[in-house]
Structures are given as C-alpha cells and as structure tokens.
Amino acid sequence: MRKLNRAIGESLKLLYNYRCQICGENISARYGVNIVESHHLDPFVKSLNNNPENQVIICPNHHRIIHRARPVFVRRKLIFVYNNGVEERIMVNQHL
Ligand SMILES: [Zn+2]
Ligand SMILES: [Zn+2]
C-alpha cells in the first residue's frame, strides 16, 4: 500500500490558517496549538488519491461527525448532505 504523504495536507492547513473549511473556526489557536485535520473526500485507502482536490481541512469535531455520519459530498455545490437531510456547506474554500 502506498504511504500517505502528509506534506500536501500540511500545506493546505497552512493555506487556511488552521481554520475548519466548514465552520471557519480554529478554537485551538488561543491555546497556542493547532489541531485541524485533513480529510480525504474519497477515502485514501481506496482511492490512493492524495491530491489537494481530494482533501478538505476540517476541525476534529467536523472530522468525527463526517466519519460517523458519512454524508454525501456534492462537489459542484460544495456541500455535505447528511442522511437526516442536513446540508452543510464548505464555507471557506480556496482550493476545491
Ligand atoms: Zn468545523
Ligand atoms: Zn477523514
């Protein structure tokens, strides 16, 4: 299996100044640390796609929610659609 190169994700985190692309928050900044994460829209283990357009930068809360709730990502609208009908938009975007 190909090893994940984290350099692209790290540069994307910097691009967004460690803010979540969904909620725009960086709650950890006041503590002097960064805990934002990179999520692969097409799971990397299946797609092996580590390109920037397959990654979103999101906070740990949104990351956990997405993995638990498994929303559908509608790329042309930049929204996650959850099973319960909730839609959540990528608010901050400079690379998708
Ligand atoms: Zn968030
Ligand atoms: Zn993920």
Side-chain angles (χ1 to χ4, degrees):
M1 181 169 298
R2 216 172 74 184
K3 194 169 179 293
L4 174 61
N5 177 355
R6 299 198 182 275
I8 295 172
E10 290 304 316
S11 61
L12 287 173
K13 291 176 188 178
L14 190 60
L15 174 67
Y16 293 104
N17 199 20
Y18 303 98
R19 294 180 179 279
C20 174
Q21 284 190 256
I22 297 174
C23 62
E25 298 291 334
N26 179 2
I27 58 163
S28 63
R30 67 180 293 217
Y31 306 101
V33 294
N34 296 302
I35 57 172
V36 76
E37 298 169 350
S38 169
H39 170 70
H40 288 79
L41 294 163
D42 284 333
F44 180 75
V45 289
K46 283 188 198 163
S47 67
L48 297 181
N49 181 355
N50 193 43
N51 295 326
E53 61 267 23
N54 193 37
Q55 298 188 48
V56 287
I57 302 306
I58 51 178
C59 68
N61 278 353
H62 272 118
H63 204 179
R64 185 72 63 89
I65 288 164
I66 283 172
H67 277 267
R68 182 70 59 88
R70 298 174 169 275
V72 173
F73 183 62
V74 182
R75 183 174 288 272
R76 68 191 157 79
K77 293 182 176 176
L78 292 181
I79 57 172
F80 288 100
V81 181
Y82 293 82
N83 283 332
N84 68 356
V86 164
E87 296 186 355
E88 205 157 43
R89 181 177 298 276
I90 300 276
M91 300 290 287
V92 186
N93 179 44
Q94 298 179 52
H95 81 283
L96 291 175

XYZ file of all heavy atoms in Angstrom:
798
model
N 0.847 -1.199 0.000
C 0.000 0.000 0.000
C 0.882 1.248 0.000
O 1.895 1.304 0.685
C -0.890 -0.003 1.235
C -1.814 1.194 1.279
S -3.058 1.019 2.555
C -3.915 -0.440 1.998
N 0.454 2.216 -0.779
C 1.218 3.456 -0.854
C 1.100 4.227 0.453
O 0.033 4.294 1.046
C 0.705 4.313 -2.007
C 1.816 5.073 -2.710
C 1.298 5.743 -3.959
N 0.496 6.902 -3.626
C -0.152 7.633 -4.529
N -0.122 7.294 -5.793
N -0.859 8.681 -4.174
N 2.201 4.822 0.843
C 2.208 5.568 2.090
C 1.679 6.975 1.840
O 1.998 7.596 0.831
C 3.632 5.632 2.639
C 3.722 6.076 4.078
C 5.142 5.839 4.613
C 5.243 6.313 6.056
N 5.099 7.774 6.175
N 0.882 7.451 2.792
C 0.301 8.779 2.659
C 1.365 9.843 2.878
O 2.023 9.881 3.918
C -0.821 8.930 3.685
C -1.472 10.303 3.794
C -2.106 10.699 2.477
C -2.500 10.299 4.895
N 1.510 10.718 1.897
C 2.415 11.863 2.021
C 1.629 13.020 2.646
O 0.694 13.543 2.041
C 2.933 12.252 0.637
C 3.818 13.479 0.692
O 3.987 14.100 1.749
N 4.393 13.846 -0.437
N 2.019 13.389 3.844
C 1.240 14.391 4.577
C 1.613 15.832 4.227
O 0.998 16.765 4.718
C 1.386 14.178 6.081
C 0.879 12.814 6.511
C 0.599 12.730 7.998
N 0.154 11.395 8.354
C -1.104 10.965 8.264
N -2.048 11.795 7.853
N -1.421 9.740 8.594
N 2.598 16.010 3.355
C 3.059 17.367 3.058
C 1.956 18.210 2.423
O 1.824 19.398 2.718
C 4.274 17.314 2.141
N 1.145 17.603 1.550
C 0.089 18.360 0.881
C -0.951 18.811 1.907
O -1.364 19.971 1.932
C -0.557 17.524 -0.235
C 0.472 17.242 -1.332
C -1.776 18.234 -0.813
C 0.009 16.260 -2.390
N -1.374 17.891 2.762
C -2.337 18.248 3.807
C -1.814 19.340 4.722
O -2.546 20.262 5.091
N -0.542 19.250 5.059
C 0.037 20.258 5.949
C 0.062 21.627 5.278
O -0.202 22.644 5.920
C 1.447 19.844 6.372
C 1.489 18.649 7.315
C 0.663 18.866 8.574
O 0.752 19.961 9.159
O -0.091 17.949 8.939
N 0.356 21.664 3.968
C 0.382 22.964 3.286
C -1.038 23.520 3.151
O -1.239 24.738 3.189
C 1.074 22.862 1.931
O 0.403 21.966 1.088
N -2.030 22.620 3.007
C -3.417 23.088 2.956
C -3.838 23.672 4.313
O -4.528 24.690 4.380
C -4.359 21.948 2.564
C -4.305 21.511 1.098
C -5.159 20.263 0.881
C -4.777 22.629 0.183
N -3.435 23.032 5.395
C -3.742 23.566 6.725
C -3.202 24.976 6.863
O -3.875 25.871 7.378
C -3.144 22.670 7.814
C -3.791 21.318 7.935
C -3.053 20.481 8.981
C -3.563 19.054 8.979
N -2.818 18.217 9.950
N -1.999 25.174 6.379
C -1.386 26.500 6.434
C -2.175 27.486 5.577
O -2.408 28.627 5.975
C 0.070 26.393 5.958
C 0.960 27.610 6.161
C 1.063 27.968 7.638
C 2.352 27.340 5.593
N -2.602 27.024 4.388
C -3.383 27.877 3.486
C -4.617 28.433 4.193
O -4.989 29.590 4.007
C -3.804 27.066 2.254
C -4.738 27.735 1.248
C -4.039 28.904 0.551
C -5.230 26.727 0.214
N -5.256 27.602 5.010
C -6.469 28.020 5.713
C -6.188 28.542 7.113
O -7.109 28.723 7.907
C -7.473 26.856 5.753
C -7.983 26.531 4.368
C -7.521 25.427 3.671
C -8.887 27.381 3.740
C -7.949 25.159 2.385
C -9.324 27.134 2.459
C -8.846 26.017 1.791
O -9.277 25.778 0.514
N -4.923 28.780 7.379
C -4.519 29.298 8.676
C -5.104 28.442 9.814
O -5.524 28.964 10.836
C -4.947 30.767 8.817
C -4.180 31.485 9.898
O -3.108 31.052 10.301
N -4.752 32.578 10.387
N -5.156 27.139 9.575
C -5.569 26.142 10.567
C -7.033 26.285 10.977
O -7.433 25.857 12.046
C -4.626 26.173 11.782
C -3.187 25.942 11.359
C -2.325 27.020 11.189
C -2.729 24.668 11.081
C -1.019 26.825 10.761
C -1.422 24.442 10.651
C -0.571 25.532 10.496
O 0.716 25.331 10.069
N -7.828 26.904 10.087
C -9.261 27.009 10.323
C -9.987 25.880 9.605
O -9.544 25.389 8.577
C -9.801 28.350 9.824
C -9.264 29.517 10.610
C -9.797 30.850 10.107
N -9.255 31.925 10.932
C -9.753 32.268 12.122
N -10.816 31.656 12.589
N -9.183 33.225 12.826
N -11.162 25.525 10.149
C -12.012 24.499 9.556
C -12.703 25.072 8.324
O -13.274 26.170 8.384
C -13.048 24.047 10.585
S -14.290 22.891 9.951
N -12.690 24.348 7.201
C -13.345 24.847 5.990
C -14.864 24.828 6.110
O -15.555 25.437 5.299
C -12.939 23.995 4.779
C -11.532 24.297 4.260
C -11.279 23.600 2.935
O -10.595 22.606 2.881
N -11.859 24.118 1.866
N -15.396 24.116 7.089
C -16.852 24.074 7.262
C -17.315 25.161 8.230
O -18.194 25.944 7.906
C -17.309 22.685 7.747
C -16.972 21.625 6.695
C -18.817 22.688 8.033
C -17.244 20.196 7.147
N -16.738 25.229 9.393
C -17.220 26.200 10.394
C -16.324 27.426 10.512
O -16.702 28.389 11.189
C -17.427 25.528 11.751
S -15.938 24.837 12.490
N -15.177 27.402 9.861
C -14.307 28.568 9.870
C -13.572 28.791 11.179
O -12.886 29.801 11.331
N -13.708 27.855 12.097
C -13.142 28.065 13.435
C -11.744 27.461 13.568
O -11.408 26.485 12.913
C -14.052 27.416 14.489
C -15.445 28.019 14.542
C -15.443 29.437 15.078
O -14.528 29.794 15.847
O -16.360 30.192 14.730
N -10.971 28.086 14.423
C -9.728 27.493 14.902
C -9.730 27.672 16.418
O -9.100 28.580 16.956
C -8.512 28.158 14.272
C -7.202 27.575 14.782
O -7.201 26.644 15.580
N -6.092 28.143 14.342
N -10.488 26.811 17.086
C -10.688 27.006 18.525
C -9.410 26.772 19.319
O -9.295 27.233 20.447
C -11.795 26.079 19.078
C -11.462 24.613 18.811
C -13.152 26.443 18.500
C -12.268 23.660 19.660
N -8.453 26.070 18.719
C -7.249 25.745 19.482
C -6.221 26.869 19.446
O -5.238 26.832 20.184
C -6.631 24.452 18.963
O -6.223 24.615 17.617
N -6.449 27.890 18.613
C -5.448 28.942 18.440
C -5.145 29.629 19.771
O -3.986 29.941 20.057
C -5.932 29.960 17.415
N -6.166 29.828 20.597
C -5.941 30.544 21.852
C -5.046 29.770 22.806
O -4.520 30.323 23.764
C -7.272 30.884 22.532
C -8.030 29.682 23.022
C -9.336 30.088 23.684
N -9.119 30.831 24.930
C -9.877 30.717 26.004
N -10.922 29.914 26.007
N -9.629 31.410 27.079
N -4.904 28.478 22.534
C -4.042 27.648 23.384
C -2.645 27.500 22.791
O -1.816 26.774 23.333
C -4.672 26.265 23.593
C -6.095 26.349 24.116
C -7.172 26.171 23.253
C -6.340 26.645 25.451
C -8.470 26.275 23.715
C -7.634 26.753 25.915
C -8.699 26.564 25.046
O -9.973 26.685 25.498
N -2.448 28.154 21.650
C -1.120 28.136 21.043
C -0.802 26.855 20.310
O 0.373 26.556 20.066
N -1.845 26.090 19.953
C -1.613 24.848 19.213
C -2.589 24.776 18.045
O -3.565 25.538 17.982
C -1.794 23.603 20.118
C -0.712 23.566 21.187
C -3.187 23.577 20.739
N -2.353 23.857 17.130
C -3.257 23.634 16.001
C -3.680 22.171 15.975
O -2.840 21.284 16.023
C -2.567 23.996 14.693
C -2.230 25.470 14.629
O -3.109 26.311 14.729
N -0.958 25.789 14.492
N -4.998 21.949 15.894
C -5.489 20.567 15.904
C -6.354 20.271 14.679
O -7.030 19.263 14.622
C -6.283 20.248 17.193
C -7.458 21.201 17.370
C -5.360 20.302 18.408
C -8.376 20.816 18.520
N -6.344 21.178 13.697
C -7.126 20.968 12.486
C -6.602 19.726 11.746
O -5.431 19.351 11.896
C -7.071 22.235 11.599
C -5.732 22.349 10.873
C -8.207 22.276 10.611
N -7.478 19.105 10.980
C -7.131 17.829 10.346
C -7.464 17.837 8.858
O -8.307 18.607 8.415
C -7.901 16.693 11.043
C -7.520 16.577 12.522
C -8.421 15.656 13.303
O -9.465 15.219 12.786
O -8.066 15.370 14.468
N -6.814 16.967 8.112
C -7.114 16.798 6.695
C -7.999 15.569 6.523
O -7.690 14.497 7.038
C -5.824 16.624 5.897
O -6.139 16.202 4.581
N -9.095 15.743 5.793
C -9.991 14.622 5.496
C -9.975 14.363 3.997
O -10.085 15.296 3.194
C -11.415 14.942 5.955
C -12.428 13.958 5.467
N -12.480 12.662 5.937
C -13.415 14.069 4.550
C -13.467 12.019 5.316
N -14.045 12.855 4.477
N -9.844 13.090 3.612
C -9.885 12.718 2.203
C -11.333 12.431 1.796
O -11.995 11.572 2.384
C -9.011 11.490 1.943
C -7.541 11.784 2.012
N -6.852 11.911 3.193
C -6.627 12.005 1.020
C -5.581 12.184 2.927
N -5.415 12.249 1.625
N -11.814 13.155 0.803
C -13.204 13.010 0.364
C -13.445 11.608 -0.185
O -14.421 10.962 0.170
C -13.526 14.081 -0.678
C -13.495 15.507 -0.113
C -13.396 16.537 -1.234
C -14.714 15.766 0.754
N -12.585 11.159 -1.086
C -12.547 9.745 -1.449
C -11.523 9.095 -0.527
O -10.353 9.483 -0.557
C -12.104 9.550 -2.914
C -13.205 9.887 -3.898
O -14.382 9.776 -3.516
O -12.873 10.270 -5.032
N -11.942 8.136 0.282
C -11.023 7.565 1.269
C -9.693 7.162 0.632
O -9.671 6.478 -0.400
C -11.777 6.341 1.793
C -13.219 6.678 1.591
C -13.264 7.511 0.333
N -8.610 7.598 1.251
C -7.287 7.374 0.669
C -6.979 5.893 0.522
O -6.358 5.472 -0.464
C -6.214 8.068 1.513
C -4.822 7.890 0.972
C -4.399 8.591 -0.144
C -3.943 6.997 1.559
C -3.123 8.412 -0.660
C -2.668 6.811 1.050
C -2.252 7.525 -0.061
N -7.408 5.088 1.483
C -7.080 3.657 1.426
C -7.663 3.002 0.185
O -7.117 2.024 -0.325
C -7.579 2.906 2.684
C -6.738 3.286 3.889
C -9.046 3.136 2.934
N -8.781 3.546 -0.319
C -9.379 3.006 -1.547
C -8.855 3.720 -2.778
O -8.491 3.098 -3.770
C -10.911 3.168 -1.514
C -11.632 2.179 -0.640
C -13.131 2.335 -0.860
C -13.927 1.712 0.284
N -15.312 2.192 0.280
N -8.856 5.049 -2.744
C -8.575 5.824 -3.951
C -7.084 6.059 -4.176
O -6.667 6.299 -5.308
C -9.277 7.182 -3.871
O -8.708 7.976 -2.843
N -6.303 6.031 -3.089
C -4.897 6.436 -3.136
C -4.738 7.835 -3.733
O -3.680 8.195 -4.236
C -4.043 5.430 -3.929
C -3.969 4.021 -3.348
C -3.068 3.143 -4.216
C -3.458 4.037 -1.912
N -5.819 8.603 -3.652
C -5.811 9.963 -4.191
C -5.493 10.947 -3.072
O -6.329 11.221 -2.221
C -7.175 10.281 -4.815
C -7.208 11.675 -5.422
O -6.251 12.448 -5.298
N -8.317 11.998 -6.069
N -4.278 11.453 -3.104
C -3.818 12.394 -2.082
C -3.711 13.812 -2.634
O -3.108 14.685 -2.027
C -2.456 11.923 -1.539
C -2.061 12.649 -0.278
O -2.870 12.858 0.610
N -0.800 13.058 -0.194
N -4.302 14.036 -3.809
C -4.241 15.363 -4.411
C -5.031 16.365 -3.583
O -5.971 15.990 -2.881
C -4.788 15.325 -5.834
C -3.938 14.471 -6.758
O -2.715 14.417 -6.601
N -4.578 13.791 -7.690
N -4.668 17.650 -3.697
C -5.369 18.668 -2.905
C -6.888 18.629 -3.094
O -7.635 18.811 -2.121
C -4.788 19.988 -3.428
C -3.424 19.630 -3.915
C -3.554 18.227 -4.467
N -7.351 18.381 -4.334
C -8.804 18.399 -4.569
C -9.523 17.229 -3.908
O -10.754 17.185 -3.908
C -9.107 18.445 -6.073
C -8.594 17.256 -6.861
C -7.204 17.485 -7.446
O -6.451 18.342 -6.916
O -6.864 16.806 -8.423
N -8.779 16.284 -3.359
C -9.416 15.197 -2.606
C -9.327 15.410 -1.097
O -9.679 14.527 -0.332
C -8.793 13.847 -2.975
C -9.615 12.685 -2.461
O -10.845 12.740 -2.448
N -8.950 11.633 -2.003
N -8.840 16.582 -0.689
C -8.677 16.831 0.744
C -9.449 18.075 1.164
O -9.493 19.066 0.444
C -7.191 17.041 1.087
C -6.329 15.827 0.789
C -4.904 15.991 1.309
O -4.683 16.372 2.443
N -3.930 15.689 0.461
N -10.064 17.985 2.324
C -10.635 19.169 2.960
C -10.007 19.304 4.339
O -9.673 18.312 4.988
C -12.176 19.110 3.080
C -12.836 19.309 1.738
C -12.634 17.808 3.730
N -9.868 20.540 4.770
C -9.276 20.828 6.070
C -10.415 21.141 7.033
O -11.179 22.088 6.814
C -8.293 22.030 5.948
C -7.202 21.724 4.930
C -7.707 22.378 7.311
C -6.434 20.424 5.172
N -10.534 20.322 8.057
C -11.684 20.456 8.961
C -11.259 20.263 10.415
O -10.236 19.630 10.698
C -12.809 19.453 8.599
C -12.278 18.035 8.470
C -13.510 19.886 7.306
C -13.365 17.008 8.154
N -12.078 20.813 11.308
C -11.798 20.694 12.736
C -12.095 19.254 13.200
O -12.810 18.504 12.533
C -12.639 21.709 13.515
S -14.411 21.377 13.505
N -11.543 18.867 14.341
C -11.768 17.500 14.838
C -13.242 17.159 15.037
O -13.649 16.011 14.821
C -11.006 17.479 16.161
C -9.930 18.494 15.973
C -10.563 19.589 15.149
N -14.043 18.141 15.444
C -15.481 17.869 15.608
C -16.125 17.489 14.280
O -16.833 16.490 14.183
C -16.203 19.101 16.168
C -16.058 19.208 17.666
O -15.537 18.303 18.327
N -16.513 20.321 18.203
N -15.895 18.314 13.265
C -16.478 18.006 11.961
C -15.897 16.718 11.383
O -16.596 15.959 10.725
C -16.285 19.183 11.001
C -17.398 20.176 11.082
N -17.234 21.482 11.466
C -18.732 20.015 10.837
C -18.418 22.093 11.462
N -19.332 21.232 11.077
N -14.616 16.479 11.637
C -13.996 15.253 11.126
C -14.668 14.018 11.739
O -15.019 13.072 11.043
C -12.505 15.265 11.433
C -11.694 14.409 10.509
N -10.344 14.293 10.586
C -12.071 13.609 9.468
C -9.909 13.467 9.646
N -10.940 13.040 8.951
N -14.875 14.075 13.044
C -15.517 12.949 13.721
C -16.942 12.749 13.220
O -17.391 11.620 12.970
C -15.503 13.194 15.241
C -16.044 12.045 16.063
C -15.090 10.859 16.085
N -13.829 11.182 16.721
C -13.579 11.068 18.030
N -14.532 10.636 18.838
N -12.410 11.381 18.533
N -17.653 13.865 13.066
C -19.046 13.801 12.600
C -19.114 13.185 11.206
O -19.952 12.314 10.932
C -19.678 15.214 12.608
C -19.929 15.660 14.043
C -20.966 15.243 11.780
C -20.180 17.144 14.189
N -18.233 13.617 10.310
C -18.261 13.122 8.931
C -17.975 11.624 8.886
O -18.623 10.882 8.149
C -17.278 13.927 8.055
C -17.899 15.288 7.731
C -16.926 13.171 6.774
C -16.976 16.261 7.046
N -17.019 11.172 9.704
C -16.723 9.735 9.685
C -17.839 8.923 10.323
O -18.077 7.777 9.930
C -15.378 9.457 10.354
C -14.217 9.671 9.421
N -13.663 8.663 8.679
C -13.547 10.799 9.076
C -12.682 9.157 7.937
N -12.587 10.458 8.153
N -18.530 9.515 11.298
C -19.620 8.793 11.948
C -20.884 8.811 11.091
O -21.563 7.801 10.936
C -19.903 9.416 13.328
C -20.977 8.725 14.134
C -20.558 7.362 14.649
N -19.383 7.406 15.502
C -19.404 7.599 16.827
N -20.537 7.778 17.446
N -18.286 7.622 17.518
N -21.213 9.988 10.527
C -22.494 10.162 9.827
C -22.408 9.856 8.333
O -23.435 9.664 7.685
C -23.007 11.592 10.036
N -21.188 9.851 7.791
C -20.969 9.516 6.385
C -21.877 10.285 5.408
O -22.633 9.691 4.628
C -21.152 8.017 6.154
C -20.159 7.177 6.930
C -20.475 5.700 6.791
N -19.398 4.866 7.303
C -18.323 4.500 6.598
N -18.205 4.873 5.352
N -17.390 3.774 7.143
N -21.817 11.610 5.434
C -22.608 12.391 4.483
C -22.077 12.209 3.061
O -20.917 11.829 2.874
C -22.380 13.835 4.943
C -21.022 13.801 5.566
C -20.920 12.445 6.241
N -22.945 12.490 2.094
C -22.529 12.507 0.685
C -21.969 13.892 0.391
O -22.576 14.901 0.750
C -23.724 12.208 -0.242
C -23.332 12.394 -1.704
C -24.233 10.794 0.012
N -20.815 13.950 -0.266
C -20.252 15.237 -0.653
C -20.662 15.552 -2.083
O -20.378 14.784 -2.998
C -18.727 15.224 -0.543
C -18.090 16.542 -0.869
C -18.357 17.672 -0.105
C -17.222 16.663 -1.941
C -17.776 18.890 -0.393
C -16.626 17.886 -2.243
C -16.904 19.000 -1.461
N -21.363 16.673 -2.272
C -21.779 17.111 -3.608
C -20.796 18.189 -4.051
O -20.868 19.340 -3.627
C -23.219 17.661 -3.597
C -23.643 18.060 -5.010
C -24.177 16.646 -3.003
N -19.859 17.786 -4.902
C -18.737 18.663 -5.212
C -19.154 19.945 -5.929
O -18.650 21.031 -5.624
C -17.710 17.905 -6.059
C -16.464 18.709 -6.379
C -15.430 17.894 -7.088
N -14.791 16.929 -6.214
C -13.712 17.217 -5.472
N -13.181 18.405 -5.518
N -13.181 16.292 -4.706
N -20.100 19.843 -6.844
C -20.423 21.057 -7.616
C -21.095 22.120 -6.745
O -21.103 23.298 -7.089
C -21.300 20.708 -8.819
C -22.670 20.255 -8.494
C -23.389 19.674 -9.716
N -24.456 18.786 -9.285
C -25.640 19.216 -8.858
N -25.916 20.500 -8.834
N -26.546 18.361 -8.452
N -21.677 21.693 -5.613
C -22.270 22.653 -4.676
C -21.401 22.869 -3.447
O -21.709 23.719 -2.617
C -23.646 22.159 -4.208
C -24.721 22.120 -5.272
C -26.017 21.651 -4.628
C -27.179 21.674 -5.618
N -28.398 21.111 -4.975
N -20.374 22.069 -3.314
C -19.502 22.117 -2.132
C -20.302 21.953 -0.842
O -20.121 22.695 0.122
C -18.685 23.417 -2.095
C -17.621 23.573 -3.181
C -16.868 24.888 -3.000
C -16.638 22.405 -3.183
N -21.212 20.966 -0.834
C -21.974 20.702 0.379
C -21.872 19.231 0.765
O -21.736 18.351 -0.088
C -23.472 21.074 0.251
C -24.118 20.337 -0.925
C -23.662 22.575 0.123
C -25.618 20.518 -0.986
N -21.942 19.008 2.072
C -22.127 17.666 2.607
C -23.614 17.493 2.885
O -24.235 18.342 3.530
C -21.339 17.474 3.904
C -19.854 17.378 3.706
C -19.041 18.479 3.933
C -19.255 16.190 3.312
C -17.661 18.402 3.756
C -17.885 16.092 3.137
C -17.087 17.207 3.356
N -24.204 16.398 2.385
C -25.607 16.108 2.625
C -25.690 14.893 3.540
O -25.227 13.802 3.188
C -26.370 15.841 1.313
C -27.844 15.563 1.598
C -26.218 17.016 0.353
N -26.266 15.102 4.717
C -26.352 14.051 5.724
C -27.633 13.241 5.539
O -28.602 13.700 4.927
C -26.302 14.663 7.126
C -24.956 15.287 7.445
C -24.639 16.574 7.010
C -23.997 14.581 8.155
C -23.405 17.141 7.286
C -22.763 15.149 8.439
C -22.474 16.424 8.005
O -21.240 16.967 8.272
N -27.636 12.045 6.091
C -28.785 11.143 5.952
C -30.071 11.750 6.487
O -31.156 11.413 6.022
C -28.514 9.814 6.669
C -27.577 8.934 5.856
O -27.540 9.019 4.631
N -26.820 8.100 6.539
N -29.959 12.630 7.486
C -31.162 13.238 8.064
C -31.605 14.489 7.317
O -32.524 15.186 7.753
C -30.942 13.561 9.545
C -29.919 14.666 9.750
O -29.307 15.148 8.790
N -29.729 15.069 10.987
N -30.959 14.782 6.174
C -31.375 15.915 5.360
C -30.583 17.179 5.606
O -30.694 18.133 4.838
N -29.809 17.205 6.670
C -28.999 18.391 6.954
C -27.960 18.571 5.850
O -27.355 17.595 5.395
C -28.302 18.266 8.328
C -27.162 19.270 8.473
C -29.314 18.451 9.436
N -27.807 19.805 5.396
C -26.783 20.138 4.415
C -25.802 21.110 5.047
O -26.202 22.054 5.721
C -27.408 20.765 3.164
C -28.328 19.820 2.413
C -28.826 20.407 1.099
O -28.523 21.584 0.822
O -29.514 19.675 0.363
N -24.529 20.886 4.807
C -23.510 21.737 5.395
C -22.525 22.133 4.314
O -21.972 21.290 3.623
C -22.801 20.977 6.521
C -22.180 21.855 7.557
C -21.994 21.128 8.875
O -21.560 19.970 8.873
O -22.283 21.727 9.905
N -22.338 23.423 4.179
C -21.538 23.943 3.075
C -20.086 24.157 3.489
O -19.808 24.512 4.632
C -22.136 25.281 2.625
C -21.421 25.926 1.450
C -22.138 27.201 1.028
N -23.498 26.917 0.587
C -23.795 26.514 -0.652
N -22.835 26.374 -1.554
N -25.046 26.271 -0.983
N -19.191 23.937 2.535
C -17.805 24.340 2.710
C -17.780 25.861 2.631
O -17.969 26.434 1.562
C -16.911 23.729 1.601
C -16.968 22.202 1.631
C -15.488 24.260 1.696
C -16.047 21.549 2.611
N -17.600 26.503 3.780
C -17.707 27.959 3.846
C -16.448 28.650 3.336
O -16.514 29.724 2.756
C -17.962 28.393 5.299
C -19.231 27.836 5.897
S -20.683 28.589 5.156
C -20.623 30.220 5.898
N -15.331 28.046 3.628
C -14.040 28.655 3.311
C -13.369 27.752 2.274
O -13.078 26.600 2.554
C -13.153 28.736 4.569
C -11.878 29.496 4.260
C -13.912 29.370 5.728
N -13.187 28.290 1.074
C -12.588 27.441 0.044
C -11.667 28.222 -0.866
O -12.062 29.229 -1.461
C -13.657 26.757 -0.795
C -13.034 25.910 -1.871
O -12.086 25.179 -1.640
N -13.535 26.049 -3.080
N -10.455 27.743 -0.993
C -9.514 28.333 -1.938
C -8.862 27.282 -2.812
O -7.967 27.612 -3.594
C -8.407 29.079 -1.176
C -8.900 30.232 -0.326
C -7.770 30.900 0.422
O -6.764 31.283 -0.167
N -7.929 31.044 1.722
N -9.270 26.023 -2.675
C -8.536 25.011 -3.453
C -9.418 23.931 -4.071
O -8.902 23.104 -4.818
C -7.448 24.361 -2.590
C -7.950 23.277 -1.682
N -8.625 23.535 -0.515
C -7.922 21.927 -1.800
C -8.951 22.394 0.058
N -8.548 21.396 -0.700
N -10.721 23.897 -3.771
C -11.556 22.833 -4.317
C -12.233 23.275 -5.619
O -12.484 24.438 -5.816
C -12.628 22.419 -3.313
C -12.114 21.690 -2.082
C -13.257 21.457 -1.110
C -11.475 20.363 -2.451
Zn -15.557 22.626 11.882
Zn -11.231 11.734 7.363
